[in-house]
Amino acid sequence: MVRHAGRGWHGRVLAAAIGVTAVAAATSVWTAQADPTATGKRHAGTGVSARPSASPAGAEGSTQAKVSAAIAHASDRGARGVNITIDDGPDPVWTPQVLRVLRDNGVKATFCMVGTQAQAHPDLVRAVVAAGHRLCDHTVSHDTGMDHKSQAYQSQQILDAERMITKASGGVRPLYYRAPGGAFTPYSRGLAASRGMRPLGWNVDSKDFERPGTAAIVATVRKEVANGPTILFHDAGGDRSQTVAALREVLPWLKQQGYSFGFPVR
C-alpha cells in the first residue's frame, strides 16, 4: 500500500482545516482502545446499511454499534464480489461524473470523503447518499503523516470529519474510516471502530491519482483484481477525467468476468 504523499491539493485542504484543528486537545477525551492483537497493516474493506444517527455524531452519550478495529478488505458479496471505493471528494466537477458512470452501470460504491470537502459541498454528499452509496470518513485534512502525530490530533481528524460528513449528509453517518495513504494506527482504528466506522483499506490501487492514462488505469485493475476485492479510485485532488473514463471500461469488464458489486464487510 503506497502512501500518496506530496499531493499538491493537500496543503489547500490542510489550510482550510486550520480552524478545526484548534479543537484537537478538546477531542482527546475520546479514548477508544484498539484491538491489541491487530497490527497496523495498510489494507481493508466492509459494509452495512447507512442510517441517520439518533443523536449528533460525536455527541456525548450517543450510541453507535461498535465494529471490528481490524482493517477490512473483504466484500459482502463473497468470493466473486468487488468493492468500488472513491476517495478524496466530493468534488463539484468530478463527483457528479463518477456518480453518473456508477448509475449507468448499476453499481453502488463507497465514497471516502474529506471532511472539509463534504462541508463545502453538502449537496453532493446528499446526492451520494440518495443514490444508495455508502459514506466513509477520510479525515478532515487528508494528512498522510497522521500516524506520526499525537492521539489528540488523530482524534480531531477522525471525529471532526465524522461530524462534518454526517451534517452534510443530513444525518447519515459514515460506516467506514479510511486513513489517508493508509496511515492507520492502533489508536485510530480503535477510535473509529468505537464510533461504528470499520477501518477500510484496499487491495487494488488503480494508480489513477497519478494520471498514468486511462489504458494504464484499466490495465492495473485487470491485472490486480485477483489480489482482492476492494479497488481504490479518486474523485478529487485534480483532473479525474482519466478515472471517469477508466470506470466506464472497468465496470462492464468486471461484470463480464463474473464479478458482482458489493460493499466492504463490517
Side-chain angles (χ1 to χ4, degrees), residues 166-259:
T166 302
K167 182 178 180 180
S169 72
V172 178
R173 300 181 61 255
L175 295 178
Y176 309 94
Y177 163 64
R178 174 173 276 168
F184 289 101
T185 66
Y187 174 80
S188 67
R189 291 186 289 106
L191 175 61
S194 77
R195 301 292 301 162
M197 296 184 291
R198 179 75 184 264
L200 175 60
W202 63 85
N203 306 102
V204 180
D205 183 351
S206 70
K207 300 293 193 302
D208 66 326
F209 198 88
E210 300 171 9
R211 288 181 284 182
T214 298
I217 296 169
V218 172
T220 295
V221 174
R222 289 185 176 187
K223 177 181 178 182
E224 297 186 11
V225 68
N227 294 340
T230 302
I231 308 173
L232 171 63
F233 295 97
H234 297 83
D235 63 342
D239 184 339
R240 301 271 70 92
S241 57
Q242 293 179 8
T243 299
V244 174
L247 284 168
R248 288 197 187 102
E249 293 188 38
V250 164
L251 299 181
W253 179 83
L254 287 167
K255 288 182 181 180
Q256 291 167 6
Q257 303 309 302
Y259 289 102

Side-chain angles (χ1 to χ4, degrees), residues 122-208:
D123 56 328
L124 295 178
V125 181
R126 295 182 188 197
V128 167
V129 171
H133 306 293
R134 290 184 181 174
L135 301 176
C136 171
D137 180 332
H138 204 33
T139 75
V140 172
S141 59
H142 201 282
D143 182 355
T144 58
M146 66 180 287
D147 53 339
H148 299 298
K149 306 289 178 63
S150 69
Q151 290 185 354
Y153 178 82
Q154 295 175 53
S155 176
Q156 172 267 318
Q157 285 286 307
I158 295 168
L159 298 180
D160 282 357
E162 180 193 9
R163 283 188 283 270
M164 290 174 173
I165 294 166
T166 302
K167 182 178 180 180
S169 72
V172 178
R173 300 181 61 255
L175 295 178
Y176 309 94
Y177 163 64
R178 174 173 276 168
F184 289 101
T185 66
Y187 174 80
S188 67
R189 291 186 289 106
L191 175 61
S194 77
R195 301 292 301 162
M197 296 184 291
R198 179 75 184 264
L200 175 60
W202 63 85
N203 306 102
V204 180
D205 183 351
S206 70
K207 300 293 193 302
D208 66 326

Side-chain angles (χ1 to χ4, degrees), residues 17-44:
I18 286 176
V20 182
T21 58
V23 301
T27 57
S28 64
V29 298
W30 297 93
T31 56
Q33 287 286 330
D35 178 359
T37 64
T39 65
K41 303 194 259 192
R42 302 191 181 273
H43 295 279

